[in-house]
Amino acid sequence: MIPSLAILQRRKHLALSICVILWVFAFIVSHVPADRLPKTHVGDKYLHFVGFFGLAIALLLTLAGYNVPRLRRVVVAICITAGYAAFDEATQALVNRHAAFSDWLADVCGALLAVIVLEVCFSLLGKLRRGSAPNI
């Protein structure tokens, strides 16, 4: 366990609650019927990317709080986000929306970037906490 993640262990139930709320909110928002979607000035792929970046961050923080080892945490986060993204795309037909491989790909890319960014941050925090400066 990275010493700087001790606060996540103490607040793991809060992290889990926030994670569940975000994932449920994401499901609800992504299943709004097509004719009720608000107009936005940003691209659809950007929304997918950013949304899954956030979902993956919440999931990774929760897993870290429950002291899941790094490799397992990374694999679980990627599998869950990629699987959920596929489920999300497949079920959108139920609300007059269409599934798109490119949407799924944007979801997975957002989740992958979240994994990379957060795990690098965890690593750097661990090195700083132990007193050795990272080589950047």
Side-chain angles (χ1 to χ4, degrees), residues 1-5 70 119-136:
M1 174 69 176
I2 299 170
S4 58
L5 297 180
R70 173 177 279 173
E119 291 302 330
V120 166
C121 288
F122 286 163
S123 180
L124 292 173
L125 286 171
K127 287 180 181 181
L128 290 172
R129 188 71 173 219
R130 288 188 298 271
S132 63
N135 294 329
I136 298 177

Side-chain angles (χ1 to χ4, degrees), residues 49-125:
F49 185 90
V50 170
F52 272 78
F53 182 91
L55 292 176
I57 291 286
L59 181 57
L60 285 163
L61 290 173
T62 301
L63 293 171
Y66 281 89
N67 206 20
V68 174
R70 173 177 279 173
L71 181 58
R72 185 174 297 160
R73 182 172 63 229
V74 167
V75 170
V76 166
I78 291 170
C79 289
I80 287 176
T81 53
Y84 174 71
F87 169 79
D88 186 57
E89 288 300 314
T91 58
Q92 285 185 7
L94 300 172
V95 291
N96 195 27
R97 293 172 69 175
H98 68 282
F101 177 75
S102 57
D103 288 347
W104 178 83
L105 193 58
D107 297 340
V108 172
C109 287
L112 287 174
L113 183 62
V115 168
I116 292 167
V117 167
L118 200 58
E119 291 302 330
V120 166
C121 288
F122 286 163
S123 180
L124 292 173
L125 286 171

Side-chain angles (χ1 to χ4, degrees), residues 1-67:
M1 174 69 176
I2 299 170
S4 58
L5 297 180
I7 191 165
L8 284 174
Q9 273 195 320
R10 290 192 304 270
R11 303 284 189 217
K12 63 185 174 188
H13 300 303
L14 177 62
L16 177 60
S17 298
I18 291 169
C19 184
V20 168
I21 289 168
L22 287 174
W23 280 72
V24 168
F25 178 76
F27 177 81
I28 292 168
V29 168
S30 68
H31 288 80
V32 171
D35 58 343
R36 292 188 179 176
L37 288 174
K39 300 291 182 203
T40 62
H41 299 291
V42 295
D44 177 55
K45 303 308 177 257
Y46 175 79
L47 294 174
H48 280 267
F49 185 90
V50 170
F52 272 78
F53 182 91
L55 292 176
I57 291 286
L59 181 57
L60 285 163
L61 290 173
T62 301
L63 293 171
Y66 281 89
N67 206 20

